[in-house]
Amino acid sequence: MIIRLAIGILILFLLYKLLRKGASLAGRRSGKAAPPAAAGEDLVEDPYCHTYVPLSHACRASLGGKTVYFCSRKCLEEYEREKKECT
């Protein structure tokens, strides 16, 4: 009886660790961590992957007369490609 309980607890613990790791990987779409922001620096949201990056590290683009910020050049290019496909 005690062995079954110990095995059950071990299985639950391993499932918990596996699910937690899977959730953290799913939250990182770009695969890289954002650079640290300076104290008091504003964060901007990438409209493509919805990652928040410090304003000083963001890629800027003027689209339709509006300044848009991206976490990387790749996200900027993907965003522009999708916008062209929709029109």
Side-chain angles (χ1 to χ4, degrees), residues 4-63:
R4 283 186 184 175
L5 181 62
I7 291 173
I9 291 171
L10 179 64
I11 289 172
L12 288 174
F13 174 75
L14 292 174
L15 285 173
Y16 166 77
K17 295 295 267 185
L18 182 66
L19 289 173
R20 188 166 177 197
K21 183 172 182 143
S24 70
L25 291 176
R28 288 187 264 160
R29 188 171 177 181
S30 66
K32 63 182 185 331
E41 184 176 9
D42 289 334
L43 296 176
V44 291
E45 182 181 9
D46 182 320
Y48 182 72
C49 70
H50 304 287
T51 300
Y52 286 89
V53 293
L55 187 60
S56 64
H57 291 89
C59 294
R60 293 172 178 83
S62 181
L63 302 173

